């Protein structure tokens, strides 16, 4: 199967970034550099849901591939900091 390279979307400029200048995130608990995509599921009560029905809302986070903890920096302002990493 031959795949053609994607054409840039008109009006959008390609930005080149030097990743050697970017900070590498590491686990603050065990020092590991590898993370796994994880999801936190929040349940929204029908009483506060805009549709009047229960809703399940996934929040994507990254957890450490070694110890499983989620870096605090990824949870700031989410209101779930205390629920995670107990």
């Amino acid at each position: 199967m031959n795949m053609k390279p994607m054409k840039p979307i008109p009006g959008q400029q390609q930005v080149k970034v030097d990743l050697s200048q970017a900070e590498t995130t590491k686990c603050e608990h065990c020092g590991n550099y590898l993370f796994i995509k994880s999801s936190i599921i929040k349940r929204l009560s029908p009483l506060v849901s805009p549709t009047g029905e229960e809703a399940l809302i996934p929040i994507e986070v990254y957890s450490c591939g070694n110890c499983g903890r989620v870096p605090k920096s990824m949870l700031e302002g989410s209101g779930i900091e205390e629920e995670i990493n107990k």
Side-chain angles (χ1 to χ4, degrees):
M1 177 182 215
N2 260 345
M3 296 190 74
K4 295 181 182 178
M6 293 180 61
K7 294 181 182 177
I9 298 172
Q12 286 191 343
Q13 185 178 5
Q14 294 261 338
V15 178
K16 293 185 180 184
V17 177
D18 180 4
L19 290 179
S20 69
Q21 301 297 312
E23 179 183 348
T24 301
T25 300
K26 74 176 185 177
C27 179
E28 61 221 20
H29 303 284
C30 72
N32 184 44
Y33 286 99
L34 299 175
F35 291 86
I36 299 168
K37 284 185 182 180
S38 302
S39 295
I40 296 168
I41 308 294
K42 299 291 279 186
R43 186 187 74 80
L44 188 61
S45 165
L47 298 174
V48 295
S49 171
T51 63
E53 296 180 12
E54 179 180 272
L56 296 177
I57 304 162
I59 302 169
E60 189 173 280
V61 296
Y62 293 92
S63 59
C64 175
N66 184 49
C67 72
R69 295 179 130 185
V70 178
K72 290 179 185 175
S73 61
M74 293 186 195
L75 296 173
E76 288 175 358
S78 67
I80 56 176
E81 296 94 344
E82 289 76 34
E83 296 177 43
I84 306 299
N85 298 330
K86 288 184 178 179

